[in-house]
Amino acid sequence: MSTDTTISAVESTQAFDTERGTTRTVVIVQHEEDAGIGRFAAPLKELGIATTAVGPGVGVEVPATLGDADGLIVLGGSPGPNDDGSAPWLAQVRGLIREALDRGLPYLGICLGGQLLAVVSGGTVGPVRIRPELGLGRMRMTPAGETDPLIGALPRQTRSMQWHFEEVTRLPPSSVSLMASDVCPNQAFRVGPRAWGLQFHPEADATSAKNWAATDEGALVRNGLTPESVAAPFETADPELDETWIPMLRRWVSFL
C-alpha cells in the first residue's frame, strides 16, 4: 500500500466545540508509512479537527489509552488483524478499539481497521473466500445499510478502492452487513451506535492507486492485473469518489 498524503504526528489545527466548550480530537493509527489518510486529510483540516497520528507508519508508539480523544480512526495495512508476531503493535491497537467501544466514542476502521473492529467485537477474519479485490470496485448498499446513520445517505451503488486479501468471514454478534460487493458480503458493518468497519478504502485517491499498484505489482500480476489497469480508472473517478466519500467523513465527524 502507498499514499503520499499523511497527517503529521500532531496536527496543530483544532476545532472548538462551542456546545461542550472543548476541542474535538481524533487519534489516527497509521500502520505503514505509505498508507496514510489520503483524500480525508484536507477535509479533516477544513473541519478543524485536532488529529494525533500514531503507529509505526509515523514513528510514534501506539499509546496505551486514548486519553482525552473524542474519536478513533484506524487505517489499513499489510498485516492481518491477528498477526501480532510480525506486527506486535496490533495488541495495543485492539486495546484502543476496545476502549473506544467501551466509552462509546466514534470509531472508523478502514480495511485492516475494519477487520480489527470485527475481531475485537467477537467476529472472525480469514482469507478471502472467492478472490482478492484490487483496484476500483463496485459495491451496493444492503437493506440494513439504508437506515444506518453513516451509510444510509450514500448512493445505493458506489465505487471505491479495494485492496484486500482477507475479509470478515463472520460478523460480530448483533452486527449486520451494511454494504456488499459481488465477492465480499461484508464491505461495511456497525458495532453499537457509533463504530463502523469498512473493508474498502474510501480514503484512497489517484495517487494512492498509482503508488499501491507499483508497490504490489507482483500481487496484481498473480491476479491477472497490471499496475496500469488498476491505476488508470482513478484519474477520472476521483471527482466522483470525492463527492461520495468526503460527505461520509463529514457525517462521521458529526458524531464526535
Side-chain angles (χ1 to χ4, degrees):
M1 291 183 178
S2 177
T3 178
D4 61 2
T5 306
T6 60
I7 289 188
S8 60
V10 178
E11 182 63 60
S12 60
T13 303
Q14 296 184 342
F16 192 77
D17 187 326
T18 56
E19 292 185 1
R20 293 184 297 173
T22 58
T23 298
R24 295 179 295 169
T25 63
V26 172
V27 171
I28 299 175
V29 177
Q30 185 170 330
H31 303 281
E32 299 173 1
E33 183 179 357
D34 59 0
I37 201 70
R39 77 172 75 251
F40 287 167
L44 284 171
K45 289 183 179 180
E46 291 168 3
L47 291 167
I49 302 301
T51 58
T52 301
V54 302
V58 292
V60 178
E61 185 176 354
V62 177
T65 73
L66 290 170
D68 295 330
D70 298 292
L72 174 63
I73 297 175
V74 178
L75 299 172
S78 299
N82 296 303
D83 288 348
D84 292 20
S86 58
W89 67 90
L90 290 180
Q92 289 281 83
V93 178
R94 292 194 300 271
L96 295 184
I97 296 171
R98 171 49 59 194
E99 179 185 350
L101 291 172
D102 290 345
R103 291 171 54 186
L105 300 180
Y107 175 80
L108 184 65
I110 294 173
C111 198
L112 172 57
Q115 295 171 359
L116 285 162
L117 174 63
V119 168
V120 167
S121 304
T124 59
V125 173
V128 292
R129 289 168 286 190
I130 299 178
R131 60 173 173 80
E133 293 180 287
L134 300 165
L136 188 61
R138 294 187 178 275
M139 298 171 293
R140 60 188 177 276
M141 190 179 300
T142 68
E146 295 179 4
T147 59
D148 184 79
L150 182 70
I151 300 298
L154 291 169
R156 296 302 182 257
Q157 301 282 334
T158 56
R159 298 195 296 173
S160 181
M161 168 70 87
Q162 300 277 1
W163 209 280
H164 67 104
F165 302 88
E166 294 188 88
E167 64 178 308
V168 177
T169 53
R170 180 171 59 83
L171 288 168
S174 302
S175 182
V176 296
S177 174
L178 306 174
M179 300 180 70
S181 68
D182 288 344
V183 299
C184 180
N186 299 318
Q187 286 284 350
F189 62 97
R190 190 178 80 246
V191 174
R194 298 196 293 179
W196 287 270
L198 311 178
Q199 182 58 74
F200 56 96
H201 285 273
E203 86 292 357
D205 56 17
T207 300
S208 308
K210 181 178 179 180
N211 292 341
W212 294 6
T215 300
D216 278 356
E217 181 175 1
L220 296 180
V221 171
R222 287 192 296 274
N223 286 276
L225 302 168
T226 67
E228 295 76 15
S229 68
V230 167
F234 286 86
E235 297 296 335
T236 55
D238 251 358
E240 168 201 330
L241 301 178
D242 283 345
E243 291 178 3
T244 300
W245 301 117
I246 290 177
M248 185 200 72
L249 174 69
R250 292 178 179 273
R251 287 192 295 277
W252 183 82
V253 166
S254 74
F255 290 101
L256 296 175

